[in-house]
Amino acid sequence: MNRDLYEILRLRRIPAAPEGLAERIIAEALRQRQAGEFSLAEFWRIFSDGFLLPRPAFALAAALLIGLTVGFGAEIKSLFVDRDSEAYAAYDAVDGSYEDGMIL
Amino acid sequence: MVRVKRGDHGAFAMLARRHANMYFAAAYRMSGDSHEAEDVVQEAFLKLWSKPAAFDVSKGVKFTTWFYRVVTNLAIDRRRKYGRIKVSDDIPDMPDQSMRADESLQEAQERGALEAAIQALPDRQRAALNLCFYEGLSNKEAALAMGVGIKALESLLMRAKTALKEHFVREGLIRENPYNKRSII
């Protein structure tokens, strides 16, 4: 078939707008408030719109999984390593310049 | 718009009645689904109502151009958030009475293939094609609506047309002229 691209592009058809679309919009706007008046629902809508995640459920599940993996994989380190506390005690006994138990 | 900014609901109603259908068509061209297009248009107008200050009259941009930007960006954002909607079957069949029945069916199938191909384009290419070819905006207006330079817009347009042409050549809807590599008119 001899056709050019523009001929095919011109085939495109758009369905008619639904009946009463403008009136529904107008009615909904009447129910809403304009900016300046605090609305908790509006605040939450704007807040959640700031986090446009693709596939939000998967993204959050993946983040939770990664967080749990990193958390359980990390070593729990104590504040004082036994070897360090022994060295400190030894220094304190020899030098005597620090008060017992003081960490500098 | 000045009156809308002052909270004049009557002025907002006038804007909605005047433009809702036009922007429904624009939203449909971006999303390919009439329910989604209706949601996009409603959300765009309600954003306008709740935050009319977003439109700066002093910048000299036409309201219609600016609102194309709102609708286009909203359609793209919703697609990224909710995923692409399968092209609906609600494209009306308008058979030409002068054509044979099999020719009308073929045209309907071609329309379906065309819509699917356009919806498969990257968002910005689809937006450029819709604004320039279907909405009838000038390159300057379309570039403003998309927030890009004119050269960038022309590049997007060219890529969209190239992608569509290659697709239709593969589908056999366009026959490529082997001598000068241009499609046969």
Side-chain angles (χ1 to χ4, degrees):
Chain A
M1 173 171 295
N2 295 345
R3 285 272 188 98
D4 75 351
L5 176 62
Y6 294 100
E7 202 174 326
I8 293 190
L9 289 179
R10 278 193 282 272
L11 288 176
R12 198 179 190 190
R13 296 284 184 272
I14 304 297
E19 195 72 36
L21 172 62
E23 300 309 319
R24 283 196 293 281
I25 292 170
I26 293 163
E28 184 58 32
L30 254 185
R31 279 194 284 274
Q32 290 191 8
R33 301 170 181 191
Q34 280 196 309
E37 294 182 58
F38 176 73
S39 159
L40 190 61
E42 182 66 15
F43 168 79
W44 181 248
R45 187 189 68 78
I46 292 168
F47 181 77
S48 62
D49 278 353
F51 297 93
L52 285 175
L53 293 173
R55 305 273 189 250
F58 289 134
L60 289 173
L64 184 65
L65 198 62
I66 291 168
L68 285 171
T69 305
V70 169
F72 282 118
E75 290 178 15
I76 298 172
K77 295 188 171 102
S78 60
L79 285 175
F80 296 101
V81 176
D82 287 343
R83 195 179 51 180
D84 288 343
S85 60
E86 282 171 11
Y88 168 75
Y91 182 77
D92 184 49
V94 169
D95 190 42
S97 59
Y98 301 104
E99 289 182 24
D100 282 346
M102 176 178 272
I103 299 171
L104 294 179
Chain B
M1 270 308 296
V2 172
R3 286 165 54 194
V4 171
K5 287 188 179 198
R6 284 194 229 121
D8 185 340
H9 190 263
F12 173 79
M14 195 186 308
L15 265 182
R17 287 189 185 105
R18 189 181 295 169
H19 295 297
N21 289 356
M22 180 175 86
Y23 286 106
F24 170 83
Y28 183 91
R29 290 190 179 103
M30 284 304 297
S31 65
D33 180 83
S34 55
H35 297 296
E36 176 65 11
E38 188 176 345
D39 289 345
V40 166
V41 171
Q42 177 156 321
E43 192 174 335
F45 271 102
L46 292 177
K47 274 192 174 183
L48 171 67
W49 173 243
S50 64
K51 294 275 168 59
F55 176 63
D56 190 349
V57 182
S58 65
K59 283 189 178 166
V61 178
K62 286 197 305 187
F63 166 76
T64 48
T65 305
W66 173 79
F67 205 62
Y68 270 122
R69 184 175 190 164
V70 173
V71 168
T72 302
N73 286 347
L74 198 54
I76 292 173
D77 286 347
R78 285 176 63 99
R79 175 178 276 212
R80 286 177 186 166
K81 190 173 180 181
Y82 302 119
R84 187 177 144 192
I85 295 169
K86 187 172 166 289
V87 172
S88 59
D89 293 329
D90 56 0
I91 300 168
D93 274 4
M94 294 182 290
D96 184 344
Q97 298 299 331
S98 65
M99 296 172 80
R100 300 201 314 265
D102 57 345
E103 285 177 333
S104 295
L105 178 63
Q106 184 178 359
E107 197 172 272
Q109 287 173 341
E110 286 174 350
R111 281 202 296 270
L114 167 65
E115 191 63 41
I118 291 175
Q119 293 304 324
L121 288 172
D123 292 333
R124 284 154 57 87
Q125 289 180 25
R126 192 170 68 257
L129 182 76
N130 285 336
L131 290 172
C132 292
F133 191 83
Y134 291 108
E135 300 298 328
L137 268 63
S138 67
N139 281 8
K140 185 181 173 188
E141 286 174 327
L144 270 173
M146 290 184 63
V148 299
I150 292 181
K151 291 278 182 223
L153 174 86
E154 288 170 354
S155 169
L156 286 168
L157 261 178
M158 190 176 68
R159 282 188 272 157
K161 288 178 184 174
T162 303
L164 286 173
K165 185 181 155 190
E166 285 172 0
H167 174 81
F168 292 129
V169 166
R170 279 197 304 272
E171 295 293 311
L173 293 175
I174 296 177
R175 190 153 51 110
E176 193 157 20
N177 187 330
Y179 298 106
N180 60 12
K181 295 293 180 187
R182 279 168 41 199
S183 50
I184 296 171
I185 298 172

